[in-house]
Amino acid sequence: MAHMTNPLATPDQLFQRRSLGALPMELQDMIFFSTQCLTQAAGLLLQLPQSVTAQANVLLARYWLVENMMAHEFSVRFSSSGLSLSPNDEPKKLNGVVLQDVSAATLYLVAKLSSHPVSPRDVAYIYTYLLSSCSAFFHDPSSPPPPPPPPPFGPETTTTTTTTSTPSPSEKNTITPYLSPAAYQSFHARLLHLEGLILAALGFDTHVALPHPLAITYLQALDFFSFHKDGGGSKEAGKKALAARTVAYLNTALLSPQVLYLTHQPPALAVAAVYSAARDVGAKMPECEWWEVFDVEREELGFLVVGMRSVEGWGRKMRGDMKEVMGGRERGMLMRKDVEGELKRRGLMIVGDEVQNGSKMMVDAEEEAAKRLDEKMAEMESG
Amino acid sequence: MASKSKSRWADDEADAALEAQRKKEKEEKKRLKAEKARKLEAERKAREAAVAAAASTSQQAGDDPDRGPPTKRRRISPERDEPPQTSGATTTTDSSNLLRFEGGKFGRSRSVENYDKLNDIEEGAYGWVSRAKETATGKVVALKRLKMDPKDRSGVPVTGLREIQILKDCDHRNVVKLLEVVVGDDTNKVENIFLVLEFLEHDLKSILEDMPSPFLASEVKTLLHQLTSGLAYLHDHFILHRDLKTSNLLLNNRGRLKIADFGMARYVSDPPPANLTPLVVTLWYRAPELLLGETRYGPAIDMWSAGCVFGEMLTREPLLQGRNEVDQLTKIFELCGTPSDETWPNFRRLPNARRLKLPPRPTPSSVRAKFPLLTTAGASLLGSLLSLDPSRRPTAHEVLEHEYFQQDPRPKAEAMFPTFPSKAGQERRRRRETPEAPARGAQVSSGMDFGAVDFGGIFARREREERGGGFSLRMV
């Protein structure tokens, strides 16, 4: 049964996340959303199959139920000074990479256990690129400058990176994301360190059962692939659309702030995705309570369908909110300093969190300087 | 010598008196029972009355919290002061019978400080194992520490993670149980990772080395049957063990064998993926296709190892003790014959087989000759497990169905297994003062009158019992 079940979050874990978190809920959601998106983007660029990336998403969500969101980020900051990027871009990325190490570490861990392992170096390059200003990640399509493709990363460029970046030399003066050996060393150290922390927090249980294969099986079992009355195109196209829509719902649900993958077992998720997709595509569903065949209750199905369908709109709104928090920056990843800035704006101090965690967290002078520099950068950018 | 006196079983006065007493006791018991039932009935009535009274009062007070609609969905906020609801009450109301999927939960690893180390058991290539006691419960467990190589740049070893994941997924009586994974006390750095496994007193290797006489045929059958049913479970779940050997088979004092050490194990697809490493399994137990460099192998490699273990249990010596890969292959061919296109089609396409120089005429297998004490069924099973061609080896399920297990002597019940002093538990062999076996050729003592005792009954029905190894005829 292991291939169909997941360990689920306990009520206490869910409750704690909602109530005791040092961060306001919407900020937590924002961090969650942007980090999950970052993981997906990195998975794509590393040419990992979605089964691997989705597992990383689920593990990351689990990790954040066990570990406080901000707590671990403090704990991995130990060697951030070793990370030096191209000089004029330094502070921003320095902060960003450190903030998003968790994403990199889970992805690395899951890939290591899968049949598609990736090297730490590839991970380092991909994340450096994604967090640099030349990446297309979280780039608003309406804003004018089209994202230049990632330039090659130097002699050690692997096939993974070159194939994903269609090498069309851009004439525009963009900052080349460059990872110095020292920066790589420190990234590597943090990656392995964080990997251990994640494993310990999850009790070394890395098992994730995904609903995707189940959903396809259910579609077949329901004969959706043969008796499908589609609206416009050919029958074949209709089938494809249905399957694609189902998988899209499942993938979108990974980003849901309701952590649906941690509260419901894969069969329920699969049924809900099939139901929603069939509704969208206009496929005819059986008249009877067919979900009971797959051991899903009507009530649970209803809850999941609402949950899944709401993620898209919620995500759009999240993007808008993020822009606000990021001080009008059009694109790029939500940075740790953004969260801190927003907290300051709201008059909330992160100190409370530090006291709570009992860690002797001092905002060191270096960090302060980096932040100030960063703010100046933001001003220059917006001005 | 027939006795002429009255039969021992004839009735007499003493019997009659005994019978009378028994009857009296029975009646007394009956009376007590009736009285008890009466009392219970009275109690039940009183309780019912009380419940009725309570119900009427609660109905006045409004709806009863205990009788509210049962919660169907998982609660997502923790219960505060309410008493925990009984699970029975919530499930019975479902009209349709839906399967509930239980996946357990996740949470932080505990600290190794919850255990007290008792003694070291062994140090393997892959980690240290020691015996420990859980402080809170006093339960004795085996702690296996994952070796972390600080020079390894890929972090927590993937073999260790695989072992943890596979053991977590397994639940079978012949597979060792992983109780939890604990980490060192320093929560900021995860360097020490310990697998908490159930403790078994022995491993098969040290028993075979130390035991004074070999296992009986019935005992070998039990052990092989347990090993194979564990293997059948693993293979059904797409797990290859890839390091079966006697030192990885644990045995407890109740005769239960468990497969341990999944450091080489991994999940595989069926058909197997094409890029597996052939550098698995301890050399002496390594299947010929692995030695020839096969990268697309399946459960058959575990069956080969099981065959080697089978042979080792019979002789108390590892079956094929090669010094290196080439020597190992030589030993295999000596025992199982050299391969030909009939016995192993397409073996020439294997990477290391192309340069292989074989005698022009293939030699036949000598398994039967090497195990003269084995029954025909046993020899055929061993021979098939040691087939050079992996596709000719039986699957674990086929082995379980083999007639070897149906024939006499039947497998010995686990509970009847002999016990051994546990090396891991630091027990010593106790020497008992027992009479020496008679020396060969000694004179039969003549003072005793064997005619005075009746031996007629002691071997009655003997032919129906399970027979041990006993003495057997040498065939060669």
Side-chain angles (χ1 to χ4, degrees), chain B residues 13-286:
Chain B
E13 315 77 59
D15 281 342
L18 217 67
E19 185 64 24
Q21 198 188 338
R22 218 178 280 140
K23 238 180 201 165
K24 222 163 100 192
E25 272 170 11
K26 231 180 194 170
E27 264 160 31
E28 177 71 8
K29 252 189 208 160
K30 227 180 198 170
R31 201 181 54 76
L32 280 173
K33 207 172 163 189
E35 199 168 323
K36 207 172 166 190
R38 237 189 346 268
K39 263 189 200 156
L40 273 176
E41 178 69 13
E43 251 174 55
R44 195 178 59 82
K45 270 189 185 145
R47 223 182 305 129
E48 261 172 19
V51 166
S56 63
T57 51
S58 74
Q59 224 142 45
Q60 285 161 3
D63 58 352
D64 184 356
D66 286 342
R67 299 198 175 188
T71 46
K72 265 197 205 156
R73 203 151 22 92
R74 282 168 45 83
R75 302 174 61 95
I76 54 162
S77 58
E79 292 174 34
R80 293 283 120 176
D81 301 320
E82 299 166 46
Q85 285 196 331
T86 50
S87 56
T90 55
T91 49
T92 46
T93 47
D94 265 353
S95 56
S96 51
N97 202 1
L98 299 186
L99 187 61
R100 294 282 121 220
F101 297 95
E102 294 298 336
K105 51 191 181 184
F106 54 89
R108 192 179 291 284
S109 289
R110 296 201 302 161
S111 160
V112 73
E113 301 299 315
N114 289 304
Y115 294 89
D116 286 335
K117 183 172 147 183
L118 297 175
N119 60 281
D120 287 322
I121 298 176
E122 59 169 334
E123 184 190 340
Y126 169 67
W128 296 267
V129 184
S130 52
R131 198 164 69 108
K133 192 168 81 179
E134 189 175 7
T135 322
T137 59
K139 190 174 173 184
V140 175
V141 296
L143 277 187
K144 176 172 176 174
R145 183 176 162 191
L146 283 196
K147 255 186 189 167
M148 298 271 273
D149 188 359
K151 273 174 274 167
D152 184 8
R153 302 293 284 148
S154 60
V156 183
V158 67
T159 49
L161 292 175
R162 275 189 192 146
E163 172 168 32
I164 292 170
Q165 204 51 60
I166 285 174
L167 284 174
K168 266 190 197 261
D169 292 345
C170 283
D171 180 22
H172 189 266
R173 59 200 293 279
N174 296 121
V175 176
V176 75
K177 276 201 180 37
L178 176 69
L179 304 172
E180 63 173 327
V181 182
V182 293
V183 292
D185 218 17
D186 184 3
T187 47
N188 275 328
K189 270 186 295 173
V190 179
E191 279 174 347
N192 298 321
I193 302 168
F194 300 89
L195 277 63
V196 182
L197 301 155
E198 62 178 325
F199 176 73
L200 281 86
E201 288 87 350
H202 316 282
D203 65 275
L204 199 52
K205 180 165 176 261
S206 49
I207 285 190
L208 285 170
E209 277 171 1
D210 295 349
M211 68 193 304
S213 62
F215 281 120
L216 300 179
S218 59
E219 292 164 355
V220 170
K221 274 187 195 179
T222 309
L223 292 175
L224 185 65
H225 195 270
Q226 295 190 60
L227 166 62
T228 323
S229 54
L231 265 184
Y233 176 86
L234 295 179
H235 293 169
D236 281 350
H237 290 75
F238 305 100
I239 298 164
L240 291 191
H241 186 280
R242 305 202 295 182
D243 196 16
L244 279 182
K245 53 179 170 180
T246 43
S247 57
N248 284 343
L249 299 177
L250 305 182
L251 192 69
N252 70 9
N253 271 335
R254 273 82 62 206
R256 175 75 52 83
L257 176 144
K258 290 184 194 241
I259 302 173
D261 198 342
F262 284 67
M264 290 272 193
R266 65 164 288 164
Y267 278 106
V268 286
S269 53
D270 185 21
N275 55 352
L276 298 172
T277 167
L279 261 182
V280 289
V281 191
T282 307
L283 184 61
W284 293 349
Y285 303 84
R286 201 179 294 165

Side-chain angles (χ1 to χ4, degrees), chain A residues 188-200:
Chain A
H188 192 179
R190 291 198 314 276
L191 189 74
L192 299 192
H193 173 76
L194 203 48
E195 178 193 35
L197 290 184
I198 292 170
L199 280 170

